Amino acid sequence: MNELKERVQETFEHFHEHPELSWEEVETTKRVAELLEEAGCRVRTFDDCTGVVGEIGNFGEGRPVIAVRADMDALYQEVQGEMKANHSCGHDAHMTMVLGTLWTIRQHPEILDKIGIRFIFQPAEEVGAGALKLVEKGVVDDVDYYYGIHLRPFQETPDGKASPAIVHGATGSIAFEIRGDDAHGARPHLTHNAVEIGNYLINAFHTIHLDPNIAHTAKVTRFLAGGRNINIIPGSAQMALDIRAQTNEVMDQLRARILEIIQSARDLYHVEINITEDFGIAAAEVNAEAEEVARQAIVRTLGEENLTDPIITPGGDDFHFYTIKRPQVKATMVGLGCGLAPGLHHPDMSFNREAMMNGIRVLSEILAIHAEGVEER
């Protein structure tokens, strides 16, 4: 165990010190591929994108295929005054824990004989596109059960505890440009003031009222208009919204209302408004069977006193695209308490690195439980 713990810490340090942005995880892909090959996995990489898949175990007919996913990319943010790639969402830990699970399972041939195990290292989670790309690659087409794991903030899950499911909400962003001509401040009749149009839109967005029993928000997070000269009426502006809802159905309603309001501004002001970004991540659709397996694994490894209820969070993760695009896949994401503070995506995020061993134990036990299920058939 001490040898595994030392290797886990060294591996984490490497990933932590070599962060790479979404779709740019070239060196990370190479390093993970090397470690998978060293562990005896059959390895698959891709010609047109980053990411790597490793397989080990028995993929014979009638054997269940169990997949475990780790995201790979870092965020781009200001860290101590410098804009740089930074692992402030825990993906360095996620990769390390999945590799630690592989190293653990290799010591249990009785598990490898019963099930096929696929370790999926996915790029571009932070831009919500990596899962969809790997779905296109067919990496989950034959998967029966699929598990992810994610570090959780201390406010949500105490250190040493774990949850069998993270119920992420749907998230999205809509960006658009108001296009028109500038005019002199003395001649407001010659243009449409993009600031006034933007103010109309903000007020209209605040009139959206959907089911109050289901959490949802729409917030303007960008409004750029005007320049250095105050006596110029700006005809153009850039705006963007962050939108969130706890269910996919409410997200669809929210997005439709926002687009209707934007169209109403076009009609009212006779102005050109162009959508420049319309992007979203689906809400979680947790499978009860996969959640139960994760629950049993947490109880067996950490004790029932360290099992928490499923986590409901307005944050999002593109992991849930796998089950939406391939509904036959039974999936859940384990939430790992690790003393994470001040919070996810904070440039100075830190956590108790010892907790990675808990994650490895839980993921390894999940695979053991699936192997036991094969024996019972």
Side-chain angles (χ1 to χ4, degrees):
M1 180 60 73
N2 288 336
E3 182 179 343
L4 174 63
K5 184 176 179 179
E6 182 178 341
R7 189 174 189 188
V8 164
Q9 296 299 327
E10 290 175 354
T11 302
F12 172 82
E13 288 292 344
H14 173 85
F15 290 138
H16 187 71
E17 294 173 5
H18 298 85
E20 295 180 298
L21 301 179
S22 304
W23 298 126
E24 299 177 14
E25 311 95 330
V26 175
E27 295 304 319
T28 304
T29 296
K30 290 180 181 176
R31 181 57 180 158
V32 172
E34 291 171 357
L35 293 172
L36 292 172
E37 289 175 353
E38 289 175 5
C41 288
R42 298 177 292 278
V43 175
R44 177 186 177 190
T45 55
F46 309 101
D47 295 334
D48 60 343
C49 69
T50 46
V52 56
V53 175
E55 292 183 347
I56 197 168
N58 189 342
F59 282 79
E61 185 176 352
R63 301 292 181 176
V65 176
I66 316 300
V68 185
R69 176 263 212 169
D71 30 20
M72 304 171 69
D73 52 331
L75 290 155
Y76 187 67
Q77 59 187 162
E78 183 176 340
V79 183
Q80 297 180 346
E82 178 186 357
M83 293 300 296
K84 60 190 292 187
N86 184 42
H87 271 304
S88 59
C89 197
H91 296 187
D92 43 1
H94 303 165
M95 289 186 285
T96 302
M97 286 188 286
V98 172
L99 286 167
T101 301
L102 166 61
W103 297 328
T104 300
I105 291 300
R106 280 191 66 211
Q107 308 305 315
H108 296 275
E110 72 280 7
I111 295 176
L112 298 178
D113 182 58
K114 300 293 183 181
I115 59 176
I117 306 169
R118 182 170 298 143
F119 298 101
I120 297 173
F121 292 81
Q122 179 211 298
E125 187 279 327
E126 295 294 355
V127 296
L132 290 171
K133 184 68 171 180
L134 293 195
V135 168
E136 292 177 7
K137 299 294 185 182
V139 300
V140 295
D141 284 356
D142 60 344
V143 167
D144 295 293
Y145 290 85
Y146 197 12
Y147 297 90
I149 191 166
H150 207 298
L151 306 183
R152 304 317 300 166
F154 77 95
Q155 305 96 326
E156 188 177 272
T157 309
D159 191 7
K161 297 182 180 293
S163 168
I166 305 174
V167 187
H168 287 104
T171 69
S173 57
I174 298 177
F176 55 90
E177 294 179 343
I178 302 168
R179 302 299 303 169
D181 297 322
D182 293 349
H184 195 287
R187 299 173 178 83
H189 63 293
L190 297 181
T191 192
H192 293 290
N193 189 331
V195 174
E196 295 176 353
I197 298 171
N199 187 57
Y200 163 83
L201 287 164
I202 291 171
N203 288 328
F205 294 145
H206 289 165
T207 68
I208 298 174
H209 300 294
L210 303 175
D211 186 347
N213 296 306
I214 302 175
H216 59 278
T217 63
K219 307 165 292 294
V220 174
T221 54
R222 180 191 304 152
F223 189 172
L224 306 176
R228 296 180 63 178
N229 295 97
I230 298 174
N231 64 343
I232 294 176
I233 299 172
S236 298
Q238 297 178 19
M239 298 184 68
L241 297 96
D242 174 272
I243 56 178
R244 296 174 185 268
Q246 200 56 52
T247 68
N248 292 313
E249 293 76 14
V250 171
M251 173 57 81
D252 290 341
Q253 297 171 26
L254 182 59
R255 179 180 172 278
R257 287 290 294 121
I258 289 168
L259 295 178
E260 288 172 0
I261 289 170
I262 292 172
Q263 183 59 51
S264 75
R266 292 189 185 105
D267 297 338
L268 179 63
Y269 291 96
H270 304 288
V271 68
E272 180 182 352
I273 304 179
N274 299 320
I275 305 293
T276 57
E277 179 181 322
D278 188 353
F279 163 79
I281 295 176
E285 296 185 3
V286 177
N287 177 266
E289 293 180 42
E291 181 183 336
E292 175 58 21
V293 171
R295 188 195 69 80
Q296 293 179 30
I298 293 168
V299 171
R300 288 189 187 185
T301 55
L302 306 184
E304 191 160 5
E305 68 278 10
N306 290 316
L307 171 72
T308 70
D309 292 333
I311 298 164
I312 299 176
T313 172
D317 196 297
D318 77 347
F319 177 79
H320 308 296
F321 277 133
Y322 290 105
T323 51
I324 287 173
K325 294 298 183 180
R326 298 292 183 269
Q328 78 281 3
V329 176
K330 301 174 182 179
T332 191
M333 178 177 283
V334 173
L336 185 69
C338 55
L340 188 152
L344 293 166
H345 289 206
H346 190 285
D348 299 321
M349 184 275 277
S350 64
F351 68 99
N352 174 16
R353 298 179 182 181
E354 299 286 332
M356 288 189 291
M357 299 305 296
N358 286 343
I360 291 169
R361 284 191 282 268
V362 171
L363 290 177
S364 299
E365 191 64 26
I366 285 172
L367 297 175
I369 291 171
H370 279 291
E372 291 172 6
V374 172
E375 292 176 348
E376 294 171 357
R377 292 176 185 174

